[in-house]
Amino acid sequence: MVAQEAFNGNINPGLAAIGYGLAAIGPGIGVGLIFSSVISGTARQPEARGVLLGLAWTTFAIVEVLALIGFVVYFIATAGA
């Protein structure tokens, strides 16, 4: 029922903001885990720092795209309100 109302554009903007806030928690945790793993890996094997940082920035970009998609969906959901 809620999905049908959202599809028709009848969604509360406050509810959409809460949904985006909850959706932003995942990428925030993901970024923290990515860079904590880089720090841990660098501490264990310092010569692999360059490779680890390259992978970290790539995965950081992917995780942040998820947050941006949530931001765009928030604006799409509130456009009809």
Side-chain angles (χ1 to χ4, degrees), residues 2-3 6 10-11 15 19 39 42 44-47 51-52 55-56 59 66 68 70 72 74 77-78 81:
V2 174
N10 300 330
I11 191 165
L15 185 62
I39 291 169
T42 303
R44 292 176 185 206
Q45 195 170 4
E47 63 273 7
V51 174
L52 291 174
L55 287 171
T59 54
L66 293 175
L68 289 174
V72 169
Y74 164 72
T78 59

Side-chain angles (χ1 to χ4, degrees), residues 60-73:
F60 169 76
I62 292 170
V63 168
E64 283 301 312
V65 165
L66 293 175
L68 289 174
I69 288 172
F71 196 56
V72 169
V73 169

